[in-house]
Amino acid sequence: MKSLKPLLIIFFACILTSCNEEMILQEIPLDFYSPENSYRTPEHFEAAITNLYALTREAYYYKSSSYVQSFQYGTDFGRDARNPGDYSFANYPARLTSSSGYAIYWWQNMFALISSANVILNRIKDADFPSEQEKNAIIAEARFFRAFAYRILAYTYGGVPIELEEVTSPKRNYTRASRAEVYQLCIDDLTFATENLPDVTNVKADGRVSKETAYHYIAELYLATQQWDKAISAASQVIDNPNFQLMTERFGRRINVTPRDVWWDLFQRGNQNRSSGNKEAVWVAQVEYNVPGGGDSYINERIWCCLYWNIKDPDGVMGFIGPTSQNYGRGAGSLGPTTYWATTIWLSDWNNDLRNSEYNLVRDFVYDNPKSKYYGMKVSEFPAANLDRRKDFYPFQSKITTPGDHPDELYANKETGLLLSNARVTYCDQYYARLAETYLYRAEAYLGKNDKVKAAEDINAVRTRVNATPVDPADVDIDYILDERLRELAYEERRRLTLARLGMIYERTSKYNDYDDGQTIQPYNELFPIPYSEIERNTEAVLEQNPGYDE
């Protein structure tokens, strides 16, 4: 038998070679996954789609990168708190260049997402599915993510190269499409998604996109292209759907915590998904603590919460026992709000708007160190003469963290609420989109048609829920809508994308950011620069730089 085995191998090899030389040369591994055998079954494509969710979540919520927050600060909303610091556009011309990580981060991450979506769209042509409906649902999901990524690129950089095919070898001849062409691609992809994604009652799991998610984002793209009627129609597909509604009654796992309200409930751990009873969620990033691949890496709490536990009392004694859960966690005071957000936008309705309540918008702390004679007293009433209001003591909304509700493993002392040093992220799911924003999209579309009455109705749907005084139609303009977005969607919306879509980054930042960011921003910062590394390696065509940036 041992002498026959080599002969048999040679025999069968000769037969195979003579029958089909091309087949023998086409290596298709059978005992490990490779590009040749990884995209054949519906299960393979489900795994590939899961990767799109992971890539998107990592780009939006990755803990170790200041670039994640670069769509928030340096705007009318966010400013540096530790100048100069890593989280800062405190000097726009110096920090935002064609070689800076800010420019590179979003370019590389969004094109990585596009590339992964294109692989799915290319390989699915030859895959077997039980039905065309199931295949089209996968295609729709991939096209949704491609549109999501191109939308970010268009808002951030303007026109960018359009690539709709799987790239299997290096290309060095990219040219920029126009911004309008990129918008149209996004609209085309999202149109397919609205037609082929499941509705919200039939998605496979929490966090999966539905056709209503696609309608939400296509409404935004119609706003960007000033197609007001189409924006109204798309937004209405979500708003008028009986499976969605603004939450107006208290709900969820912390319903017995008082005094609180329904807006507070929206941001508590475990309350974001529809399975919790939340009918306002349009799309939610899934964050699971202490689970491999769970994505518990969003350091929103650490970045945006002030460094209160560094505050000393008027006698120079430490005022706090340390970072505690009830005091909103282990803040580092890296990013703070502009005075415009912290004060100005609330003045007209200070005592009515629940979003400005003491448990939704934190403006003060109580000394909790028993060794301080000011124990139990408010910092605002008994501040130290050298209190650092830039990083140690500034307002923020409690939605950035899980107050009094950190995971049990993160407490150094559960009785006092003292947290361990590794308790520094936000331990709950995060909204990509919720219905309140859809209402404000439709209000913006009505304003585009100069129908201020209907625009006010949609704004007031959002305001009434939080006991805010209704806006008079005569007072509705784009600045009012942008202010309402700041009140309702701070820390959730990527503010830079909203302002970029409207061409208002420079206008609003230079006017309302009263820190270094607002003083140094230039008109050309309306767009990010094209990364110089991309221009340099594109040797067979010209990849033009945005005006104002040196290559």
Side-chain angles (χ1 to χ4, degrees):
M1 290 296 294
K2 287 182 180 180
S3 62
L4 284 176
K5 188 173 181 179
L7 293 175
L8 289 170
I9 292 172
I10 295 171
F11 173 73
F12 283 114
C14 291
I15 292 176
L16 289 170
T17 304
S18 62
C19 290
N20 192 335
E21 286 188 7
E22 290 185 1
M23 282 297 294
I24 201 68
L25 293 174
Q26 183 180 348
E27 297 181 7
I28 301 179
L30 300 178
D31 59 347
F32 63 89
Y33 283 119
S34 72
E36 289 75 23
N37 69 5
S38 294
Y39 293 89
R40 293 181 172 272
T41 69
E43 291 75 18
H44 290 160
F45 286 95
E46 280 289 328
I49 287 291
T50 299
N51 183 54
L52 299 184
Y53 284 92
L55 289 172
T56 305
R57 184 183 62 187
E58 182 167 311
Y60 257 51
Y61 303 115
Y62 184 53
K63 71 178 178 182
S64 298
S65 176
S66 62
Y67 310 133
V68 168
Q69 300 285 354
S70 61
F71 284 169
Q72 305 270 37
Y73 55 80
T75 65
D76 56 351
F77 165 54
R79 50 84 180 173
D80 66 285
R82 290 190 168 196
N83 181 39
D86 292 333
Y87 295 82
S88 172
F89 279 132
N91 186 336
Y92 254 99
R95 300 303 295 272
L96 188 56
T97 70
S98 61
S99 298
S100 68
Y102 304 101
I104 297 168
Y105 181 86
W106 291 105
W107 183 280
Q108 289 186 343
N109 278 278
M110 290 304 100
F111 273 115
L113 182 57
I114 290 164
S115 176
S116 296
N118 282 341
V119 170
I120 294 171
L121 295 171
N122 181 69
R123 302 295 178 91
I124 203 169
K125 300 171 187 175
D126 301 320
D128 292 325
F129 275 77
S131 68
E132 283 299 304
Q133 181 181 6
E134 292 180 62
K135 177 183 280 192
N136 282 337
I138 292 292
I139 294 172
E141 213 159 355
R143 291 185 70 172
F144 171 87
F145 279 101
R146 186 169 69 181
F148 185 80
Y150 266 121
R151 154 188 167 270
I152 290 174
L153 290 170
Y155 293 157
T156 306
Y157 301 93
V160 296
I162 290 178
E163 179 59 75
L164 303 181
E165 302 296 331
E166 178 182 357
V167 178
T168 57
S169 60
K171 287 184 64 173
R172 299 181 177 86
N173 62 344
Y174 286 108
T175 57
R176 297 176 65 174
S178 69
R179 201 182 214 178
E181 290 171 324
V182 180
Y183 284 161
Q184 188 58 51
L185 165 64
C186 295
I187 290 171
D188 292 344
D189 276 350
L190 289 172
T191 297
F192 187 90
T194 63
E195 295 167 349
N196 292 279
L197 283 172
D199 63 45
V200 71
T201 61
N202 290 310
V203 294
K204 295 179 180 179
D206 284 330
R208 294 290 286 263
V209 295
S210 65
K211 65 174 54 191
E212 290 80 16
T213 315
Y215 274 120
H216 174 91
Y217 283 105
I218 202 171
E220 183 194 87
L221 267 298
Y222 284 137
L223 290 175
T225 53
Q226 299 187 1
Q227 300 183 71
W228 312 123
D229 287 328
K230 289 184 177 181
I232 291 167
S233 177
S236 297
Q237 290 290 331
V238 189
I239 294 169
D240 297 341
N241 186 323
N243 293 300
F244 289 90
Q245 66 180 46
L246 292 175
M247 299 300 290
T248 56
E249 302 291 336
R250 295 208 60 191
F251 73 99
R253 55 182 290 274
R254 306 192 75 192
I255 193 171
N256 294 323
V257 179
T258 57
R260 297 294 187 270
D261 59 57
V262 65
W263 200 77
W264 185 85
D265 287 334
L266 285 169
F267 307 103
Q268 301 313 299
R269 194 153 60 102
N271 284 8
Q272 286 72 35
N273 290 315
R274 297 181 62 80
S275 55
S276 71
N278 184 344
K279 291 188 175 182
E280 189 165 332
V282 176
W283 185 26
V284 179
Q286 303 300 292
V287 178
E288 308 300 331
Y289 170 66
N290 212 18
V291 174
D296 58 334
S297 63
Y298 190 36
I299 53 174
N300 220 27
E301 169 192 297
R302 183 161 177 79
I303 299 306
W304 288 97
C305 178
C306 61
L307 193 61
Y308 66 90
W309 47 285
N310 193 50
I311 296 174
K312 295 181 180 180
D313 70 16
D315 294 337
V317 177
M318 295 303 299
F320 294 85
I321 61 172
T324 56
S325 182
Q326 64 272 20
N327 278 333
Y328 308 96
R330 197 178 182 85
S334 297
L335 289 173
T338 61
T339 303
Y340 188 73
W341 181 84
T343 303
T344 307
I345 64 172
W346 307 100
L347 289 175
S348 63
D349 215 24
W350 191 275
N351 295 320
N352 295 321
D353 195 328
L354 292 175
R355 296 168 299 191
N356 190 42
S357 69
E358 63 180 355
Y359 43 83
N360 284 326
L361 208 165
V362 182
R363 298 181 181 276
D364 209 349
F365 292 89
V366 174
Y367 292 117
D368 65 8
N369 183 3
K371 295 180 181 179
S372 169
K373 73 177 185 181
Y374 294 89
Y375 176 79
M377 302 179 185
K378 291 183 178 180
V379 173
S380 63
E381 295 177 359
F382 299 95
N386 61 347
L387 178 62
D388 186 342
R389 296 177 182 271
R390 184 166 187 140
K391 65 178 177 64
D392 293 349
F393 190 61
Y394 57 71
F396 58 87
Q397 281 180 329
S398 62
K399 67 165 78 170
I400 65 171
T401 183
T402 53
D405 193 31
H406 284 69
D408 289 344
E409 301 92 325
L410 298 175
Y411 287 91
N413 186 319
K414 190 67 180 290
E415 185 176 345
T416 64
L418 187 66
L419 296 168
L420 295 168
S421 61
N422 62 332
R424 53 181 61 193
V425 308
T426 302
Y427 300 95
C428 65
D429 299 330
Q430 297 292 315
Y431 294 107
Y432 286 115
R434 58 185 176 91
L435 188 62
E437 184 175 36
T438 321
Y439 270 99
L440 295 178
Y441 280 157
R442 195 169 71 174
E444 190 179 327
Y446 280 127
L447 177 63
K449 289 171 61 70
N450 201 32
D451 190 341
K452 292 191 173 186
V453 172
K454 287 187 176 179
E457 288 176 2
D458 279 343
I459 296 169
N460 288 332
V462 175
R463 291 182 60 78
T464 300
R465 186 260 296 275
V466 290
N467 198 43
T469 303
V471 63
D472 188 290
D475 294 329
V476 175
D477 57 18
I478 193 60
D479 284 303
Y480 188 91
I481 292 175
L482 287 171
D483 287 352
E484 189 63 22
R485 290 181 68 92
L486 283 178
R487 287 183 281 263
E488 179 70 25
L489 301 169
Y491 307 99
E492 299 172 67
E493 76 162 327
R494 278 12 191 192
R495 186 62 173 180
R496 185 174 300 274
L497 298 184
T498 299
L499 296 180
R501 171 173 61 80
L502 292 162
M504 297 179 69
I505 292 178
Y506 175 75
E507 176 184 337
R508 294 273 301 192
T509 303
S510 61
K511 185 175 182 179
Y512 296 127
N513 191 311
D514 52 336
Y515 289 80
D516 306 276
D517 315 66
Q519 296 168 13
T520 62
I521 191 171
Q522 302 298 313
Y524 66 81
N525 295 134
E526 197 73 39
L527 295 174
F528 271 22
I530 307 298
Y532 177 69
S533 56
E534 300 297 326
I535 293 173
E536 187 178 35
R537 67 168 58 101
N538 198 64
T539 56
E540 298 173 21
V542 176
L543 194 60
E544 294 182 356
Q545 182 57 274
N546 282 325
Y549 296 101
D550 294 328
E551 296 180 8

